Amino acid sequence: MNDRAFSVVNHPLVRLEAKGKITGCAVYTGDIKLPGMVYAAIIRSPYARASVTKIDISAAEAVPGYAGALLPNDVPDILYNCSGNPPSPLLLKDEKILTTEPKCAGDRILCVAAETPEACREVCGKVIVEYAPKKAFFTIADALKEDAEPLQPHLSVDNVVWKREVKEGDTDDGFERSDVVIEGCFRIPPMQHTAIEPTACVCDFSDRNELTVWSNSQTIFQERRILSELVGISENKIRVIKPAVGGGFGARQQLHSQPVAALLSRKLGRPVKIVNDREEELTSTVVRHGAVADVRLGSTKDGMMISFYADYKLNTGPYTTHGPTVLCAGARKFQYAVPNYFFDGKCVLTDNVTAGAFRGYGNMQLAFAREVMIDRLAIKLNVDPVELRLKNHVTVGGHFPGSDLTVTSCEIAECARLCLEKRREIDAAEGITDDGEVKQAWGVSFACHGSGPSSREGLSSAAVNINSDGSAELLVGSADIGQGSETMLSQIAAETLGIPLEDVTITAADTRTTPYDTGTFGSSQTFICGTAVRRACIDVYETLKKLLESISDDMVSLCDKVFYVGREKLDFRAAVRRVMFHQRGGVVIGRGVYKADACPNPFSVCMVKAEYHKNINAIRLLHLIEAVDVGTPINPLTVEGQIEGGAAQGVGYTMTEQIEINNIAKKPLSTDLLHYKIPLASDLPRIHALIAEGYEPTGPFGAKSVGELSTVPVAPAIVNAVSRASGREINKLPLCEEFLILPNIVE
């Protein structure tokens, strides 16, 4: 069989859930209503650091409809880590379910419940909590001062909660041998996920024996494991169900209100629903880690990069959550064959907003610094920035500095060619303006990511139950959080089984009915869960062949999805019917498990055309081209959508999004979408999504990932374009702090 002659895979298809979402029929967590359910809200600290001196709920108890409260002394006095990653020494326990010692604005103090959402809001207004505020620090520099009080003294006395060094070669020697050495210090701010659907959960622990949770979770099996430890019942007594999800981006890769809702449900004997408001979303969930990166890059005069050093610090807020794993992931995403490499990373505790998982996990911050530095090197050497990158890029058979993973596929040159072709087409139609007042320029950056966690801890499984007519029921634990994974996995199943897509029905993300999956993170669904699905479907054929052999006197053989029983020829459907209705037959069920032993890197090239208006110090983005190497695109329509979505998120990260801290009130100012500015459609450049032809030999039907990749190169490509247009070196984001941002609408 020619693995590249596909019937279902590599065909653009509308996602299976699209109709339900467009028509409003899809059921989200916020839509769920159970008999006897109460509505709850969490009372949060307004101070970045304080001690609670008094809690008075007597006035709240008098509000009509008041149903009850969960106080700090009602919850187990234990520490946990809310990260939805599998257990690891990197997941440090430092968080309480409810606390009287808040370490950031938005920390959970108590929870109240009422019969209606309106009564719950009134109850919240009657709760009295008194605090003794303490000195807080928000920046890495302040946290590292000698007199800074340790935030988690059981983990660190100096607020450095984790260190990571990765070395290859000798950077000192490399810099000595370099003809050119450039340095830069880059400051990258935190960023909010800003999913349209707020974080929500419904917990039913009303019988106090078994717990059912509905939540917009990316990691249902990790959520079950953590809840089991916190509420003290075994995992088989807990069921976590993921309804439709309106965006994840990593935000739901950690638990938020689920432990509180579960314990309150057990206390009240009633189901409990908690839905965040927008202020809670912006201040009390998690953000992308802010970072400071001091980097040095050494090169020969003919452009061979021979030494790279990064002093890299992450601001993880007061709780570590994913901090150490994000730090470690950042060390593994350097895609240039530099012989001397030194990553010196630290994860630092502050009273800033808690950081956690975010699209581009550990990759965004250092990729920004690296790609801007390479552009500066190209200018200094007076060479083409694309050719400079290609000259130094890793190739098949090579490896990233500090990594033991071999590069098994790489179409970065084709990505660059596609981008340059589109760029020439645009310039031929529009030209390049440089009239003394307005100057236009192109910027470029390269990027990579992984197809699963770079630690190779991804694990997934699938089961396929074949019906008597040859149609299939596919069961996976992987959670579709809006990226279209259920459609993609169904395509892999249909292609492997050799049946139409409409003959595959998928059930996903329910810990009671679907098999284990590590979780939806690390861009792992296509490569890891997709491999498990393909193995389950191959197992269907192997099972079917064994069953045919058990009921046949003649020899059974299988060739190109056709069974031969003696001289008789049976297609898939006929074979299924033969074994299921034979008196000695059986049921056809396939199972597949994949523990990641690889993490192939997808690659991308991004080019941005920007213009600088000298007289008003303003910038405008005109075009953004991104070409990706994702191996075989299982669903090209979804891949293009991921490129466009990732580009839009990257534009917001680069241009306007930031969490402002009021240094007098010592709390975040960005508490709504008027102050936290995500891009509107008019703020976006015209986006051109391109897919390079590629094939990853270790992936299902040659596929790699795309989900996180698409957003990584956007910020440096924009900054490189703006730098070339304005003539300024740029070392920090967002650009709205330095330039007036013009919408992409020419009057």
Side-chain angles (χ1 to χ4, degrees):
M1 174 184 176
N2 182 351
D3 248 356
R4 305 194 194 196
F6 304 121
S7 300
V8 185
V9 159
N10 199 13
H11 289 262
L13 297 173
V14 174
R15 283 157 40 176
L16 300 175
E17 82 282 11
K19 184 177 179 180
K21 288 185 173 179
I22 291 171
T23 58
C25 295
V27 177
Y28 295 84
T29 304
D31 297 323
I32 292 170
K33 187 174 182 180
L34 302 179
M37 187 179 78
V38 295
Y39 299 84
I42 294 174
I43 307 297
R44 301 178 183 276
S45 171
Y47 297 100
R49 193 186 298 193
S51 291
V52 174
T53 57
K54 178 182 178 182
I55 296 176
D56 182 354
I57 61 171
S58 56
E61 291 172 329
V63 173
Y66 171 82
L70 190 74
L71 302 174
N73 58 11
D74 291 327
V75 303
D77 186 22
I78 55 177
L79 297 175
Y80 72 106
N81 188 308
C82 69
S83 163
N85 282 7
S88 162
L90 278 68
L91 299 182
L92 308 173
K93 295 184 177 182
D94 55 8
E95 186 173 348
K96 289 190 174 183
I97 299 171
L98 296 172
T99 183
T100 56
E101 295 290 332
K103 294 176 172 57
C104 64
D107 240 347
R108 299 178 296 268
I109 308 301
L110 70 150
C111 184
V112 294
E115 301 294 340
T116 66
E118 294 78 15
C120 187
R121 282 195 288 272
E122 186 176 355
V123 167
C124 290
K126 299 294 185 183
V127 172
I128 298 173
V129 181
E130 295 181 357
Y131 300 87
K134 297 180 179 179
K135 182 180 179 181
F137 44 80
F138 298 93
T139 66
I140 291 171
D142 286 342
L144 296 180
K145 290 180 178 175
E146 288 188 2
D147 61 348
E149 183 182 350
L151 265 167
Q152 301 284 0
H154 70 293
L155 298 178
S156 169
V157 296
D158 60 2
N159 292 315
V160 177
V161 77
W162 200 265
K163 297 179 181 178
R164 174 71 167 174
E165 290 187 357
V166 175
K167 295 180 181 179
E168 183 166 319
D170 183 338
T171 49
D172 289 339
D173 179 65
F175 287 124
E176 284 186 11
R177 292 189 291 108
S178 296
D179 298 313
V180 177
V181 177
I182 59 174
E183 301 182 31
C185 178
F186 298 87
R187 300 182 185 282
I188 305 102
M191 180 186 184
Q192 245 298 344
H193 304 77
T194 331
I196 299 303
E197 183 200 15
T199 303
C201 68
V202 176
C203 291
D204 185 2
F205 208 172
S206 52
D207 70 357
R208 300 180 173 90
N209 292 312
E210 296 194 3
L211 168 62
T212 302
V213 179
W214 292 261
S215 68
N216 39 18
S217 172
Q218 297 179 220
T219 53
I220 58 170
F221 290 93
Q222 310 310 327
E223 187 167 322
R224 182 182 65 174
R225 174 182 56 79
I226 296 169
L227 286 171
S228 170
E229 296 171 359
L230 293 177
V231 305
I233 60 175
S234 58
E235 292 185 18
N236 68 313
K237 301 294 185 185
I238 300 175
R239 180 181 186 184
V240 180
I241 304 166
K242 179 208 68 69
V245 172
F249 314 120
R252 284 72 191 257
Q253 198 184 332
Q254 41 267 308
L255 277 72
H256 295 287
S257 303
Q258 297 93 323
V260 173
L263 292 170
L264 183 57
S265 176
R266 184 166 67 180
K267 180 179 179 180
L268 301 181
R270 302 176 65 176
V272 171
K273 175 190 280 188
I274 298 178
V275 180
N276 278 0
D277 61 24
R278 185 54 63 181
E279 180 173 347
E280 289 177 299
E281 283 295 283
L282 287 168
T283 63
S284 308
T285 55
V286 295
V287 297
R288 175 181 289 138
H289 292 76
V292 177
D294 286 285
V295 296
R296 298 182 73 198
L297 176 61
S299 165
T300 62
K301 59 186 177 184
D302 59 352
M304 290 304 300
M305 297 191 295
I306 58 175
S307 198
F308 182 86
Y309 170 77
D311 179 340
Y312 183 60
K313 300 183 182 71
L314 288 181
N315 185 336
T316 194
Y319 303 109
T320 52
T321 66
H322 292 255
T325 48
V326 168
L327 184 73
C328 294
R332 303 188 182 106
K333 302 292 192 306
F334 195 93
Q335 65 198 84
Y336 299 96
V338 176
N340 304 292
Y341 174 80
F342 186 3
F343 174 93
D344 185 5
K346 297 181 179 65
C347 186
V348 181
L349 294 164
T350 72
D351 293 298
N352 214 318
V353 181
T354 303
F358 202 129
R359 188 183 201 172
Y361 197 95
N363 192 7
M364 297 286 293
Q365 299 91 335
L366 193 56
F368 169 69
R370 179 196 72 215
E371 291 298 314
V372 172
M373 289 289 282
I374 293 176
D375 221 58
R376 291 178 187 174
L377 178 65
I379 292 171
K380 198 171 186 66
L381 296 175
N382 193 28
V383 299
D384 182 89
V386 175
E387 291 180 5
L388 176 65
R389 287 173 169 86
L390 290 175
K391 184 174 186 175
N392 289 279
H393 203 272
V394 295
T395 55
V396 173
H399 71 279
F400 286 22
S403 171
D404 62 348
L405 293 172
T406 300
V407 176
T408 46
S409 64
C410 179
E411 298 295 339
I412 194 76
E414 177 63 8
C415 291
R417 189 194 67 77
L418 289 172
C419 283
L420 288 169
E421 185 176 272
K422 176 58 69 175
R423 173 176 156 175
R424 284 192 289 270
E425 180 184 314
I426 292 169
D427 285 344
E430 302 176 1
I432 289 278
T433 300
D434 185 1
D435 58 11
E437 180 182 345
V438 177
K439 182 176 181 179
Q440 297 177 342
W442 284 93
V444 63
S445 74
F446 284 16
C448 69
H449 205 68
S451 297
S454 50
S455 58
R456 285 169 280 183
E457 62 187 356
L459 172 63
S460 190
S461 57
V464 183
N465 180 33
I466 303 300
N467 300 314
S468 63
D469 62 354
S471 61
E473 313 279 350
L474 172 62
L475 303 174
V476 295
S478 172
D480 193 328
I481 56 171
Q483 79 279 41
S485 64
E486 291 186 12
T487 306
M488 175 271 298
L489 295 171
S490 298
Q491 287 180 265
I492 291 175
E495 185 74 47
T496 310
L497 292 171
I499 63 178
L501 180 64
E502 55 267 27
D503 282 359
V504 177
T505 300
I506 186 169
T507 301
D510 180 337
T511 59
R512 180 67 51 88
T513 61
T514 61
Y516 180 84
D517 182 88
T518 301
T520 297
F521 60 88
S523 298
S524 57
Q525 271 46 63
T526 302
F527 184 74
I528 296 177
C529 190
T531 300
V533 168
R534 181 154 166 70
R535 288 183 175 185
C537 294
I538 291 171
D539 189 49
V540 164
Y541 271 90
E542 292 172 350
T543 301
L544 195 51
K545 182 170 181 289
K546 289 177 182 175
L547 287 169
L548 283 171
E549 289 170 340
S550 71
I551 63 174
S552 305
D553 295 329
D554 296 318
M555 187 179 74
V556 178
S557 60
L558 173 64
C559 180
D560 197 16
K561 294 189 174 68
V562 175
F563 293 93
Y564 295 87
V565 181
R567 295 185 176 182
E568 187 180 12
K569 183 178 177 182
L570 297 175
D571 64 14
F572 180 69
R573 293 176 189 275
V576 169
R577 289 184 64 83
R578 173 74 59 89
V579 301
M580 288 191 69
F581 296 120
H582 192 280
Q583 61 181 354
R584 298 197 311 274
V587 175
V588 183
I589 300 175
R591 62 183 292 275
V593 177
Y594 179 58
K595 174 66 175 176
D597 54 8
C599 179
N601 299 103
F603 297 96
S604 71
V605 174
C606 182
M607 294 186 182
V608 169
K609 186 177 185 180
E611 63 183 23
Y612 174 64
H613 295 242
K614 183 178 179 181
N615 290 342
I616 56 173
N617 188 37
I619 56 174
R620 188 198 313 272
L621 303 182
L622 302 172
H623 292 275
L624 188 153
I625 310 166
E626 185 166 358
V628 298
D629 162 26
V630 297
T632 300
I634 300 297
N635 186 349
L637 197 60
T638 300
V639 172
E640 291 177 3
Q642 288 279 15
I643 295 172
E644 293 181 2
Q649 199 165 45
V651 168
Y653 184 48
T654 312
M655 304 295 278
T656 56
E657 295 186 43
Q658 62 178 330
I659 299 170
E660 296 179 275
I661 301 292
N662 184 319
N663 285 322
I664 298 175
K666 300 295 183 184
K667 58 188 291 187
L669 279 174
S670 311
T671 57
D672 56 46
L673 295 181
L674 290 175
H675 296 85
Y676 187 86
K677 296 177 181 175
I678 60 175
L680 305 176
S682 59
D683 296 319
L684 297 177
R686 184 176 177 188
I687 298 171
H688 309 268
L690 307 170
I691 305 172
E693 185 173 340
Y695 191 89
E696 166 53 45
T698 65
F701 296 111
K704 299 188 281 189
S705 77
V706 67
E708 296 177 81
L709 169 74
S710 56
T711 199
V712 177
V714 176
I718 292 174
V719 165
N720 289 337
V722 171
S723 288
R724 286 174 180 264
S726 67
R728 298 185 198 170
E729 286 195 346
I730 297 168
N731 293 316
K732 64 179 182 179
L733 301 177
L735 297 183
C736 64
E737 288 196 333
E738 188 169 344
F739 301 96
L740 175 67
I741 309 297
L742 300 177
N744 188 25
I745 298 176
V746 179
E747 299 293 341

